[in-house]
């Protein structure tokens, strides 16, 4: 049974930082591309960042230069380092997994999802 468990969310002031973690189990982590998405109230789920199993990554324009995705295969964990946070970054953040070598930015292409972690950025 595949499980993705996010952690690290919370309340932070604008300009602050948070690091989200997503621990994966029940899968061969090294085979999987991973992604982070977010969903704010009343909005659709949107792409944040993705990383391939070889470590190649990309991120949305809205977070470039502020957010960094990384992975630790030994720990079966993917991270999202978020710096210079803005109130508009407030959302529930989800990690996702797909068994692929590709860099996947579309939510529809992911097979497994975590339950999400809340991030609130106050102004």
């Amino acid at each position: 049974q595949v499980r993705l468990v996010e952690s690290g969310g919370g309340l932070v002031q604008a300009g602050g930082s948070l690091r989200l973690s997503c621990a994966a189990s029940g899968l061969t982590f090294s085979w999987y591309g991973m992604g982070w998405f977010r969903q704010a109230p009343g909005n659709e789920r949107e792409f944040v960042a993705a990383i391939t199993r070889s470590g190649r990554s990309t991120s949305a324009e809205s977070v470039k230069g502020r957010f960094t995705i990384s992975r630790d295969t030994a720990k079966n964990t993917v991270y999202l380092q978020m710096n210079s946070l803005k109130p508009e970054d407030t959302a529930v953040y989800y990690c996702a997994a797909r068994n692929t070598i590709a860099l996947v930015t579309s939510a529809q292409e992911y097979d497994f999802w975590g339950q999400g972690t809340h991030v609130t950025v106050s102004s």
Side-chain angles (χ1 to χ4, degrees), residues 42-98:
N43 291 355
E44 293 187 354
R45 191 167 297 190
E46 66 173 354
F47 168 73
V48 176
I51 189 166
T52 65
R53 53 193 189 188
S54 64
R56 185 164 55 98
S57 65
T58 189
S59 60
E61 285 300 319
S62 59
V63 306
K64 276 190 191 299
R66 301 189 298 122
F67 291 11
T68 302
I69 188 171
S70 61
R71 63 190 295 158
D72 185 335
T73 300
K75 295 183 178 180
N76 283 10
T77 300
V78 62
Y79 303 98
L80 185 68
Q81 178 66 44
M82 305 187 296
N83 299 328
S84 301
L85 282 159
K86 305 175 181 180
E88 52 263 43
D89 295 318
T90 295
V92 179
Y93 283 72
Y94 300 89
C95 73
R98 177 177 172 88

